[in-house]
Amino acid sequence: MSQHRASSVEWNPRRVSVGELEALVVDGAMRQLRYGGVEVVRGIDCPIRDPNWATETPADVEETIDETSDGVVLSRRFAAFDGALSADLEVRLHANGVAAKLRLHAHRRVETNRAGFTLLHPIQGVSGKDVIIRHSDGTEGHSTFPEAISPGQPAFDIVGLRHVVDGIAVDIRFTGEVFEMEDQRNWTDASYKTYCRPLGLGFPYTIEAGETVEQSIEISLSVAGTRAQPGAESNRSVGPLPEIAIAFEPDWFFETAPIILECLPTAYRILRLDVAREYAFETLAALAGPVELEVVIDDEGNAAGRLHTLAKALRDTGITVESVTALPRAYLKSYQPTAEWPAGHGIVDAAAWAKAAFPDAETGIGMLTNFTEFNRHPPPSGIGDFTTYSTTAIVHAGDDLSVFETLEALSHVHESARLLSGERPVRLGLTTIGMRSNPYGAAVADNPKLARMAMAMDDPRQQSTFAATFAVGAYSAAAASKCARVGLASAGGPFATGQVQDGAFRAWPIHHVVRALAELAGKASAALPDMPSGVMGVGAESAGKVEAVIANCSVEPKRLDFPAQHGVVMDGATAVSAPDWLDRANAVALDDVLLAPASVVFIFRGGDR
């Protein structure tokens, strides 16, 4: 048996159980609560959000976990907002459910967008299923967990929920606040979230000095029927594999760009520009040739003229714009489903102006931010040659488990987008861990210490096999949903595939994944063997050296068994800084391989390399 244990994952959970109920305790949150082996709750937590929706990092944390014959008790105390807010949390697991209590006390006046319990519901066994909602006036209503991703909140005024997950009855009661629900798949979270307080009450809101907030959640669990038999992981896509794209911005256009272009000659180039900025276009000479242009325009009468000026400048630089997506600046922000989008010129006008300025180019329509905004302002039918949006994995949480869980949601995101796109192909912009821009606040979260945190552009995993593994999972989800193109990295900047040191390019693991996938792109996809949950990948029927790329997109080791196959394993211990590492790596037999979390397997045709 081949052992591959080195991992780029930070993963220190504590597994607790009482009777048929088991859970993980991770950073003070209860995760993946299972009853009789069925995941009934994805998480119970109390994140504190600032006025930009960034999550406060808990300080002065005191945590204990007591396990007795009667149950398990998690007790946690922490501070937020530089000590202005203190929190006391208790989560008690017993044989038939959960009891959680939260007490928040403001020592000084604080402003927050959210401070209180959130309860996450899994997708599997829940999506499209019935739910009974108890309201604050004592009445009950019948509803369903949305199957297509809901752009707005699917449920309001919640003090209780009753539903069944794969034969397990779940009865939830909330006190201390009125809750509502959102479909977190909008942000690629693999969950539905029941949270407080209602968004309609406005945000940010104030907790005054001396004020105390108390909340509780009671969950009762029981067997209600026979559990469905789990199916095998399909890991199969249909049709040609998506094209690979690399993103460029002048601010990211460092000395790495020409090297990356040389290493990835078949990758498409997505160039983003802003008509309000002045550029030294000669610095973009390395991009001479075809590009896909994303351009931010101002909502003013001269927007069309400025697009024509930009078109001439790009032609003079030797850049050929093969496709263009223009978006008014105001549409870089997000608006609630019940709110009005900005008055004046919108995405339809921008598409018309782009077509006039670049008559020989295909025209895209959609958003330059996340699927959230795409879903809340879907592109009108009959306009544009393709649709577009981007995704980020750390809108709500930055821990490794949450990031990997977003890969489960991506297939739901892309399928919902296909319904909104009609016959138009979907071309994804950057599909990354880090956040390119923040539509929900003033800016992305500052991350000078490179922590694993939500809403940050700079993510520490970009340089490790974690980002490489995530790219495989994201590409696999895009392929399964028949997306035409996907951007997995950038040339320089926060989403780069490597860096220049002493005049030489030093590759990061994601470089080798992007390069291998670019070799498979456009080929007919091939069915892969059934694989363990959390293992994702793609294969091609007609390939060159690389026949398939497979990754362990989970926080647990996974056993693979590919008899008669040979390939290369890239894990956290592999030295991969040479740009041509994959060409020279020694292939090994892939029968009975124990693959570490955040590791990648490149399968070679006939053992070639």
Side-chain angles (χ1 to χ4, degrees), residues 293-299 303-304 307-308 321 323-329 331 344-368 377-388 424:
L293 178 66
E294 297 176 341
V295 55
V296 178
I297 63 174
D298 290 309
D299 185 16
L307 278 172
H308 280 277
V321 176
S323 61
V324 56
T325 303
L327 194 71
R329 189 177 313 281
Y331 285 72
H345 299 295
I347 63 174
V348 174
D349 295 313
W353 293 337
K355 188 63 178 177
F358 301 90
D360 297 326
E362 291 183 300
T363 304
I365 191 164
M367 293 292 167
L368 301 183
H377 194 298
S381 60
I383 298 174
D385 299 301
F386 62 92
T387 64
T388 187
R424 293 166 293 187

Side-chain angles (χ1 to χ4, degrees), residues 499-520:
Q499 62 185 346
V500 171
Q501 292 182 343
D502 301 323
F505 179 66
R506 296 181 61 83
W508 297 334
I510 190 173
H511 166 83
H512 306 292
V513 161
V514 172
R515 186 181 176 204
L517 293 177
E519 183 177 316
L520 299 182

Side-chain angles (χ1 to χ4, degrees), residues 249-250 271-279 281 293-298 306-307 310 327 329 332:
E249 285 190 19
L271 173 64
R272 181 174 294 188
L273 299 174
D274 188 326
V275 297
R277 294 187 55 183
E278 297 290 335
Y279 297 108
F281 284 95
L293 178 66
E294 297 176 341
V295 55
V296 178
I297 63 174
D298 290 309
R306 299 188 77 170
L307 278 172
L310 176 63
L327 194 71
R329 189 177 313 281
L332 294 176

Side-chain angles (χ1 to χ4, degrees), residues 153 156 180 197-203:
Q153 295 95 317
F156 298 89
E180 62 188 26
R197 65 182 198 155
L199 295 176
L201 296 179
F203 55 87

